[in-house]
C-alpha cells in the first residue's frame, strides 16, 4: 500500500495479543457479532479502518422489518422477501432472517433501542415497498443511528478490545486459526484469532466514484475486505448486482445523494412525472420503482433539475403532518434547512447507487465457504438475492451478525 511501511514478522512487525474472535467492521453487523460473541464468553477484538462510529448502518433511515404485528408472521415476511428477490434469494437464509426478526427487535430494545410505538403500546409499523403487511419499525427516520448507538454502548460496556483506525490489509490461515494484518498510522500490526467475522460492508462508494455518479454510502464502503476474502478462495455470489435507492435527492445541490426515506411513500407520498401523473406503484419493490423512474425520464416525461439532471417528483405534500413529524423528522429538517418544506411542495428525486446485493456465500450460521471465517451484513450474499427490500438490511445485519458472533465464539472454544 502506498505510504505504508510494509514490514515482515521477522523484521519486527508488531503483534497484538491473540483473541477467540476478531470482528472486522463496526456497523450493525460487526457490533452485533462482537456483542453476541462476548456474551458467549469469547475474547473479542473489533477492528475498523476508521472510527467505530464511521459506517453505513448509522446512516440508515427507513427502518427495520420484522413480523411483529398480529396479522403478520415470519412465514409471510419470508414469502415477501422471496417474491421481491424474484426467487433468487437463498430460502434457508431468508427463513433465518424472517424467523429471527421478532426476537431481534426484542434484543435491540433490551439494549436500549426504543422503536416508535402507538399510544396503546403496540409497535408503530409502516408497509414497505414489496411487503404484504405493515412491518417496518422505526426510530423516527434515524433508525440506523439509534440501533448502532445501542449496539455500540453494549459493546463498549463489555471487555472486548476496540481497534479503531486499523484497516485490514491481509488475512491468512495460521496454526491458531487466522492471522490478520492491520494498517494503523502507516504501520502494520498482526492479530491472531481463532475465528474471524467479516462485517466490513460493500463497495458502492468506490463504485460510484469510478462511474462518476452519486452514492448514499459512507466513504469507507470501498470493498477491499471482500477482495481479500476472494483471494483466500472464499466463494461469492451476485457480486455484479448493485442496487439503486429509488429516491435519491436531486435538488437542491446540498441534498444530492441524500437517500430520501422510502417511508415517505409508506406514509402517502407518490411519484409523479412532469404532467403530475402517477406512473408506477409507489409501494412497488425497489428495482421496479427505480426502473420506472429511469424509464419515465429517458422517454421524456420527467423533469430537469436547475443544474441539468433528470428527475421526477416525489409528492410528499400528501403525507399527514402528524406522520411526517413523528416518522420523518430528520428528512424535514434536512430539506427545510435547504429552503424546501416537503409538506408544502414536492421533492425532485432520481435513483442513486445504494447497496451491494451480492457478496460472500454463507450458511445459516453465517460461516463462509472457508472454515472459521464468517461474514455478516452487506458483505455477505444470498439473503436478498438480486433485489433487496427496504428495511431488511438492518435486520440482516443484526440477525446474521448475532449468528456469526455466537458460532464464531463456539468454534473458537471448541
Amino acid at each position: 500500500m502506498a505510504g505504508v511501511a510494509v514490514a515482515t514478522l521477522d523484521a519486527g512487525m508488531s503483534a497484538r495479543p491473540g483473541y477467540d474472535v476478531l470482528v472486522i467492521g463496526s456497523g450493525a453487523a460487526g457490533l452485533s457479532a462482537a456483542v453476541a460473541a462476548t456474551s458467549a464468553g469469547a475474547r473479542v477484538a473489533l477492528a475498523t479502518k476508521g472510527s467505530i462510529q464511521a459506517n453505513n448502518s448509522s446512516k440508515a433511515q427507513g427502518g427495520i422489518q420484522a413480523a411483529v404485528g398480529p396479522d403478520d408472521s415470519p412465514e409471510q415476511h419470508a414469502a415477501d422477501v422471496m417474491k421481491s428477490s424474484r426467487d433468487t434469494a437463498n430460502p434457508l437464509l431468508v427463513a433465518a432472517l424472517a424467523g429471527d426478526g421478532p426476537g431481534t427487535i426484542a434484543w435491540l430494545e433490551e439494549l436500549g433501542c426504543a422503536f416508535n410505538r402507538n399510544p396503546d403500546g403496540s409497535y408503530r409499523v409502516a408497509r414497505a415497498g414489496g411487503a404484504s403487511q405493515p412491518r417496518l419499525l422505526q426510530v423516527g427516520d434515524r433508525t440506523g443511528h439509534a440501533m448502532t448507538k445501542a449496539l455500540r454502548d453494549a459493546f463498549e460496556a463489555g471487555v472486548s478490545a476496540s481497534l479503531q483506525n486499523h484497516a485490514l490489509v491481509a488475512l491468512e490461515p495460521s496454526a491458531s486459526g487466522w492471522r490478520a494484518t492491520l494498517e494503523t498510522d502507516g504501520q502494520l500490526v498482526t492479530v491472531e484469532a481463532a475465528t474471524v467475522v467479516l462485517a466490513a460492508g460493500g463497495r458502492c462508494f468506490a463504485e460510484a466514484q469510478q462511474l462518476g455518479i452519486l452514492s448514499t454510502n459512507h466513504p469507507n464502503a470501498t470493498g477491499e475486505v471482500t477482495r481479500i476474502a476472494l483471494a483466500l478462495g472464499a466463494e461469492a455470489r451476485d457480486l455484479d448486482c448493485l442496487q439503486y435507492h429509488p429516491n435519491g435527492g436531486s435538488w437542491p445541490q446540498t441534498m444530492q445523494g441524500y437517500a430520501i426515506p422510502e417511508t415517505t411513500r409508506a406514509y402517502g407520498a407518490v411519484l409523479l412525472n412532469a404532467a403530475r401523473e402517477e406512473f408506477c406503484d409507489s409501494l412497488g419493490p425497489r428495482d421496479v420503482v427505480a426502473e420506472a423512474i429511469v424509464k419515465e425520464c429517458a422517454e421524456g416525461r420527467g423533469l430537469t433539475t436547475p443544474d441539468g439532471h433528470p428527475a421526477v417528483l416525489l409528492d410528499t405534500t400528501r403525507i399527514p403532518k402528524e406522520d411526517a413529524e413523528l416518522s420523518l423528522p430528520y428528512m424535514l429538517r434536512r430539506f427545510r434547512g435547504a429552503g424546501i418544506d416537503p409538506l408544502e411542495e414536492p421533492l425532485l428525486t432520481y435513483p442513486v447507487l445504494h447497496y451491494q446485493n451480492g457478496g460472500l456465500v454463507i450458511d445459516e450460521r453465517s460461516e463462509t465457504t472457508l472454515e472459521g471465517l464468517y461474514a455478516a451484513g452487506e458483505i455477505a450474499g444470498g439473503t436478498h438475492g438480486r433485489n433487496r427490500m427496504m428495511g431488511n438490511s438492518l435486520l440482516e445485519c443484526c440477525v446474521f451478525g448475532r449468528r456469526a458472533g455466537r458460532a464464531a465464539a463456539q468454534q473458537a472454544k471448541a
Side-chain angles (χ1 to χ4, degrees), residues 21 23 28-44 107 111 151 154-155 160 197 397-410 413:
V21 180
V23 178
L31 291 169
S32 293
V35 171
T38 301
S39 296
R43 295 170 300 128
V44 178
W107 177 66
L111 297 181
L151 288 164
F155 168 74
S160 299
V197 178
C397 286
C398 294
V399 166
F400 291 101
R402 292 179 77 191
R403 285 177 173 239
R406 289 193 296 257
Q410 182 180 15
K413 295 188 294 182

Side-chain angles (χ1 to χ4, degrees), residues 220-245:
N220 282 352
T222 49
E224 64 275 7
V225 175
T226 297
R227 294 191 291 272
I228 290 170
L230 294 177
L232 285 167
E235 294 180 15
R237 54 166 290 172
D238 303 321
L239 278 176
D240 63 309
C241 188
L242 301 178
Q243 186 175 64
Y244 285 76
H245 190 292

Side-chain angles (χ1 to χ4, degrees), residues 14-351:
S14 61
R16 300 278 185 175
Y19 297 94
D20 295 321
V21 180
L22 172 64
V23 178
I24 305 295
S26 63
L31 291 169
S32 293
V35 171
T38 301
S39 296
R43 295 170 300 128
V44 178
L46 183 148
T48 181
K49 67 181 177 183
S51 72
I52 197 171
Q53 294 92 350
N55 56 75
N56 266 345
S57 299
S58 296
K59 291 162 61 69
Q61 301 171 99
I64 178 172
Q65 290 211 53
V68 296
D71 299 323
D72 201 2
S73 69
E75 291 74 22
Q76 284 180 273
H77 187 180
D80 288 345
V81 174
M82 292 303 302
K83 182 178 179 180
S84 290
S85 80
R86 311 293 192 275
D87 290 323
T88 60
N90 180 334
L92 295 177
L93 299 183
V94 173
L97 176 80
D100 285 7
T104 297
I105 298 302
W107 177 66
L108 288 167
E109 290 209 306
E110 288 173 4
L111 297 181
C113 181
F115 294 99
N116 293 353
R117 290 180 179 266
N118 296 310
D120 65 1
S122 61
Y123 288 115
R124 178 182 171 85
V125 290
R127 186 167 76 87
S132 60
Q133 292 288 335
R135 67 172 68 95
L136 188 75
L137 297 97
Q138 299 173 272
V139 183
D141 54 352
R142 300 200 72 189
T143 308
H145 172 79
M147 287 174 53
T148 52
K149 183 182 185 305
L151 288 164
R152 191 165 56 247
D153 288 349
F155 168 74
E156 292 177 339
V159 296
S160 299
S162 176
L163 305 178
Q164 299 187 64
N165 302 302
H166 280 67
L168 182 70
V169 296
L171 188 64
E172 59 184 333
S174 70
S176 60
W178 294 92
R179 178 182 296 115
T181 302
L182 308 168
E183 186 271 319
T184 181
D185 294 328
Q187 299 294 318
L188 298 182
V189 299
T190 61
V191 173
E192 297 279 347
T195 57
V196 174
V197 178
L198 302 180
R203 68 184 196 278
C204 282
F205 183 86
E207 287 282 349
Q209 279 197 317
Q210 184 175 347
L211 295 171
I213 60 176
L214 297 171
S215 170
T216 62
N217 278 210
H218 190 280
N220 282 352
T222 49
E224 64 275 7
V225 175
T226 297
R227 294 191 291 272
I228 290 170
L230 294 177
L232 285 167
E235 294 180 15
R237 54 166 290 172
D238 303 321
L239 278 176
D240 63 309
C241 188
L242 301 178
Q243 186 175 64
Y244 285 76
H245 190 292
N247 291 142
S250 294
W251 190 259
Q253 289 179 317
T254 54
M255 300 304 295
Q256 290 175 342
Y258 168 72
I260 302 171
E262 289 178 84
T263 39
T264 53
R265 292 183 274 123
Y267 288 111
V270 296
L271 292 160
L272 307 174
N273 59 22
R276 302 288 177 122
E277 300 168 334
E278 291 188 50
F279 56 88
C280 69
D281 176 4
S282 293
L283 283 177
R286 268 188 172 169
D287 58 343
V288 173
V289 175
E291 288 170 8
I293 294 171
V294 171
K295 180 180 179 181
E296 202 72 4
C297 292
E299 295 180 355
R301 294 183 294 274
L303 298 96
T304 303
T305 64
D307 60 350
H309 291 93
V312 297
L313 293 172
L314 178 64
D315 188 0
T316 47
T317 67
R318 306 189 189 198
I319 303 173
K321 182 179 179 181
E322 180 181 359
D323 286 334
E325 291 179 346
L326 179 62
S327 297
L328 299 162
Y330 182 63
M331 186 271 288
L332 293 178
R333 288 197 303 272
R334 285 287 303 266
F335 273 101
R336 285 169 177 168
I340 294 175
D341 187 340
L343 299 185
E344 298 295 331
E345 59 182 302
L347 307 178
L348 288 168
T349 186
Y350 194 78

